[in-house]
Each structure stands twice: as structure tokens, then as C-alpha cells.
Amino acid sequence: MEEVFRALADPTRRELLDELFRQDGQSLNALASRFAMTRVAVAKHLRLLEEAGVVVSDRRGREKLHFLNPVPIRLIHDRWVSKYTETWAAGLVDLKRDLETRVEKVFEIYIRTTPQRLWQAITDPETRARFQFGARVESDWVTGSAYRVTHDGVPGGLIEGENLEVDPPWRLVQTYHAIWDDDIARQGASRVTWEIEQVDDSCRLVVRHDQLAADADAHLYGGWPMILSGVKTWLETGRELTTPGSLMYGGETS
């Protein structure tokens, strides 16, 4: 086991194992072509992996092919992971993989306004309703506080979360848990970051919606272009933008 741990301690050797996991039975030349090092250096790493037993080689004519041998790694697993905890461990590994496989959506728009007016539009319930299909936002707007987005037509609310960072009028970071129906609620929480940057007499507004699952429902982030277009129209003209979303959900926002 000490030889296995020594072999796995080097990141290049772990990458070699990843390559063999991806495509087993590769030659030295094939493996060396994927690394920014000499063929001799790759051969040395392979020899250490063979000595640890996690790689085995088989000569096919003039060619020597390398194969991943997972048995020593499995023995380490079996030594410290009992059959009673294996399901839990596998579940946590799957959770880690799911959490690391996340999607980020970025939306940007320029608005002729001041940072203070833009911040007020994002955080004021009445103004928010003007450009977010009649939805209102309620919060104390301090770091660590809760917020909630509601709509008269949706009794249970639309979105809820926590204000992770509140830095008016420049930056607002929030968790984002959509709850407008059960299927959407099961998607879990993601994160939304509002970033405001003054550019001469205008503002650059960037909304980053990240920590989304790879298979996240498009309804979670698909409305941002209409929302940002709506806030731009409202702040620059004082009129509400007529979009499919506003026509379907907006109604009167007096």
C-alpha cells in the first residue's frame, strides 16, 4: 500500500491513470503525446506505476501497451470503507461530482443611469415589479438577511434565498432557490451575482447565474435577458417593456 500511495502522490502519475481510465491499452508514444514532457520522463512515471501494481503492461509485437489495474486501489478502498458505509461513500462521491459539474450563465447590459438608481431599481419592490413581470422583492438588504420574490398570481412565491454579500450600489450576491412549482423547487439552490460598474454617464450591469446543475431547467435562467432589457427600458424611458413575459405575467403594477 505504501508503494501505491507513493505512486498516487504525484499529479502526473494520477493524470496517466486518468488517461488509461479514459482509454485503456495505450502505448508509451500515445501517452507521451498528451504530456508536456519527454518520452523518457513519461516512461519513468509509468515504471513507478507498474512497480506499485496500478498499471500493467502487455507487449503486442513490437509495441508495449499499458493497462489500468484498479485492484490495488480497490484494496485500499476495502481496507477503510466497510460494506455498511460503501453506499454512503459512493453517494458522497456522486454528490461531489455533481457539485463540481456546474454551469454558469452570464448576462450583460449597458444602461444610461447612475449606480444609485440602478441599485434602487434592483432592490425596491415597486420598481422591481415594473421590469420583472409584476414580481416584487422583499428584504432588509444586509449581508446574511433573507429575501423573497413574490407575485400576486403565485400564492407560494417565486424565489427565496439569502443575501450573501450586500455592497450598495456595486455588488449583490444571493442564493437563488426558485419555488414557483414543485419540479422547479427540486432543482435546488443556485447563486446570482449582480455587478454594477459605472462607465462614464452609464452603468454596465452584469448578472452571473452560477452553481447551476448541468441539467438545470432553462426556466431558471431563461428570463434574465427580458428582465435586464426591462430594467434598461424603465430607467431610460420610464416605460415598461412589452415582452412575452410581461404580457403573460405582468398585469397591472400600479
Side-chain angles (χ1 to χ4, degrees), residues 86-107:
E86 182 170 2
T87 302
W88 287 99
L92 291 173
V93 169
D94 289 342
L95 177 61
K96 179 179 185 296
R97 186 180 299 114
D98 290 343
L99 290 174
E100 290 177 346
T101 307
R102 292 291 171 172
V103 173
E104 178 179 0
K105 302 292 182 180
V106 181
F107 307 91

Side-chain angles (χ1 to χ4, degrees), residues 16-203:
L16 282 167
L17 293 178
D18 288 338
E19 282 294 328
L20 291 175
F21 179 76
R22 183 183 61 82
Q23 181 181 336
D24 219 357
Q26 295 192 57
S27 67
L28 172 59
N29 287 336
L31 289 167
S33 68
R34 295 180 173 87
F35 292 86
M37 62 179 65
T38 65
R39 184 174 178 274
V40 173
V42 173
K44 289 181 178 178
H45 284 297
L46 285 171
R47 185 173 67 252
L48 289 170
L49 291 170
E50 286 190 65
E51 290 172 356
V54 293
V55 168
V56 294
S57 60
D58 185 25
R59 187 165 292 281
R60 306 282 176 87
R62 300 178 59 185
E63 199 169 42
K64 184 179 180 182
L65 301 183
H66 299 83
F67 296 83
L68 174 65
N69 178 27
V71 174
I73 300 173
R74 178 70 200 198
L75 291 174
I76 293 173
H77 166 275
D78 291 345
R79 177 170 176 172
W80 285 291
V81 181
S82 73
K83 64 180 180 180
Y84 302 106
T85 58
E86 182 170 2
T87 302
W88 287 99
L92 291 173
V93 169
D94 289 342
L95 177 61
K96 179 179 185 296
R97 186 180 299 114
D98 290 343
L99 290 174
E100 290 177 346
T101 307
R102 292 291 171 172
V103 173
E104 178 179 0
K105 302 292 182 180
V106 181
F107 307 91
E108 177 187 83
I109 198 166
Y110 285 82
I111 305 171
R112 190 180 297 276
T113 189
T114 64
Q116 290 75 19
R117 286 192 67 219
L118 181 50
W119 180 270
Q120 187 268 344
I122 294 168
T123 57
D124 177 69
E126 297 302 321
T127 309
R128 186 75 168 257
R130 296 290 183 180
F131 63 85
Q132 193 168 346
F133 321 140
R136 288 172 166 79
V137 62
E138 299 286 348
S139 178
D140 293 335
W141 302 120
V142 295
T143 298
S145 64
Y147 79 95
R148 189 174 179 87
V149 179
T150 60
H151 192 287
D152 291 342
V154 184
L158 294 174
I159 303 161
E160 62 185 10
E162 178 186 351
N163 296 310
L164 302 176
E165 183 179 341
V166 182
D167 181 21
W170 308 112
R171 181 176 168 88
L172 175 64
V173 184
Q174 305 172 296
T175 62
Y176 179 102
H177 186 201
I179 56 172
W180 56 77
D181 66 42
D182 292 341
D183 289 338
I184 286 291
R186 280 191 288 270
Q187 297 271 315
S190 51
R191 181 176 62 184
V192 171
T193 301
W194 306 74
E195 295 176 324
I196 299 171
E197 176 188 355
Q198 188 163 10
V199 182
D200 295 330
D201 62 347
S202 299
C203 285

Side-chain angles (χ1 to χ4, degrees), residues 203-254:
C203 285
R204 174 177 177 258
L205 173 61
V206 176
V207 171
R208 302 180 187 276
H209 196 162
D210 62 1
Q211 298 185 359
L212 289 157
D215 60 349
D217 191 308
H219 289 93
L220 289 172
Y221 53 83
W224 286 116
M226 285 190 291
I227 292 171
L228 298 192
S229 296
V231 67
K232 175 180 174 67
T233 300
W234 175 256
L235 288 174
E236 291 183 348
T237 71
R239 301 177 62 183
E240 295 181 26
L241 181 66
T242 302
T243 66
S246 63
L247 292 174
M248 184 178 299
Y249 305 111
E252 295 298 323
T253 55
S254 58

